[in-house]
Amino acid sequence: MTDTADQTASAARDDQPQPPEEATEELLSEPLEMPAPGPAPAGFRFPTDAELMDGPNPLTDPDDEEDGEDETGDEADSSDGSGAAIGLDADGFPILDEDDDADEDEPADTADSTRVEIVVPDFPEDFRAGFACIVGRPNAGKSTLTNAMVGAKIAITSGRPQTTRHNVRGVIHKENAQIVLVDTPGLHRPRTLLGKRLNDLVRETLTDVDVVVFCIPANEKIGPGDRFITRDLAELRTPVVAVVTKADTVTREALAVQLLAVSELGDWADIVPVSAQRNEQIDVLEEVLLGHMPLSPPLYPTGEITDEPQQVMIAELVREAALEGVRDELPHSLAVVVDEIADPDDEREVGRIKGAGGRLQVRVSLVVERDSQKAIIIGKGGRRLKEVGVTARKGIEELLGRKVYLDLHVRTAKDWQSDPKALARLGF
């Protein structure tokens, strides 16, 4: 079998034409010779640069220009169907006669009918807009100042420290400017994971604003917390305006002493005493902040005073009501979460609506760390929880502009302030 296969393969090779062996050897041994360039054809010359620039238009066919006809036999400057000739411009494009009246029976030009007009918001060329971050130690009057400057309640206030637990933005609208205030949690020495995260939130915010407002209360001497914040602010390149809050709580002499102490505390862009309760010096502070705003178009639509989500504002109103009249240790252990908002006008909510009158159903959980704290929130016979509901419902109805059925539940999550998973569930 092997001999037969070899003979067959050999015969197949013999049938194919083979190159002469001598020719192959000559090609390998002798170098290839290129013929010398001959003279150029008679009448040939290279074109000049000017001729190259003025050469034929690639958008037109030279044959068309010579013959005056295209491939179909029509004339190059054929008519538009009415017998009128259409000329071509230097680039070979047809020249349209704008003076010709359009046929009344024909539809309007497609380009005109599909044209979209872009409306650009009208604002002055010297319009200024930017962010101002309000910082300070707990209970320094930051949220009260924010509400007074915005002209509406967007941040909850309480006599208890560490009331604010997230950044709250409020927008001040001026004729030629817009100031976005960012109310932050109070900077403090953290004792829990929650406290550390709140401090980190404030420090991250400081790097993204145009000016910092450092609040120092007039009725308290400058302490370690103020010095601690001052050291942090000294590392920023952002200008810092020191604001002495609660000026209405002290005499003029005591206020002057506090202003002198604040001036010696750090290097400030400006120092302004204010009283948010009496709305004193608020306009002066706004003018000072406007001086640090960059040229910019408006950052928020006219009339919008906050970007707080509805559920967050509802939860804050409930927490504000729950903080009143409780012990000092409870505010730090209290968190509020909106579990559900059900609208009776929605057909999907049929069968789950409580009460009468088509009221909006708002179900909220108040979370504490220990059962003893749960008993404080509920009160004897549920009396205190009922008071919290009555107070919070008024604020929620004013916020939403409709009647509300508020359903409150108190739950226990042991040591949630130091539990990463619990903090995540509660939105921290």
Side-chain angles (χ1 to χ4, degrees), residues 44-245:
F44 175 82
R45 65 181 182 84
F46 285 99
T48 63
D49 293 342
E51 290 174 336
L52 290 174
M53 296 298 294
D54 296 335
N57 194 327
L59 298 178
T60 61
D61 189 347
D63 295 337
D64 293 343
E65 296 178 358
E66 295 177 2
D67 301 336
E69 295 182 356
D70 58 13
E71 295 178 357
T72 61
D74 297 331
E75 293 184 359
D77 53 347
S78 61
S79 65
D80 58 358
S82 61
I86 300 177
L88 301 178
D89 61 12
D91 296 327
F93 293 101
I95 301 176
L96 302 179
D97 190 358
E98 298 179 355
D99 296 332
D100 291 342
D101 296 333
D103 190 353
E104 296 179 358
D105 298 334
E106 294 180 358
D109 189 1
T110 304
D112 294 337
S113 61
T114 58
R115 185 175 301 163
V116 178
E117 183 178 358
I118 300 177
V119 180
V120 179
D122 186 19
F123 58 89
E125 294 183 358
D126 59 346
F127 196 92
R128 295 180 177 273
F131 291 85
C133 180
I134 301 180
V135 300
R137 54 186 169 85
N139 204 25
K142 301 183 295 298
S143 297
T144 304
L145 177 62
T146 300
N147 293 338
M149 296 182 71
V150 174
K153 183 173 182 176
I154 62 170
I156 67 171
T157 58
S158 172
R160 306 295 179 181
Q162 298 182 25
T163 301
T164 303
R165 285 183 174 165
H166 67 283
N167 289 346
V168 179
R169 290 183 178 88
V171 186
I172 303 173
H173 297 276
K174 296 290 185 180
E175 183 178 353
N176 295 321
Q178 192 178 85
I179 305 175
V180 183
L181 300 176
V182 185
D183 182 22
T184 62
L187 280 169
H188 62 287
R189 188 184 301 276
R191 298 180 181 179
T192 62
L193 179 59
L194 172 63
K196 182 179 182 303
R197 289 188 177 181
L198 294 181
N199 281 355
D200 292 341
L201 176 64
V202 177
R203 291 190 174 94
E204 290 175 4
T205 306
L206 289 173
T207 61
D208 297 326
V209 296
D210 301 291
V211 62
V212 177
V213 178
F214 179 25
C215 291
I216 303 173
N219 58 348
E220 300 178 26
K221 291 184 178 180
I222 293 176
D226 299 312
R227 297 186 180 91
F228 171 75
I229 298 173
T230 300
R231 287 193 295 269
D232 275 5
L233 298 179
E235 300 177 0
L236 299 175
R237 296 182 179 179
T238 308
V240 181
V241 176
V243 176
V244 178
T245 59

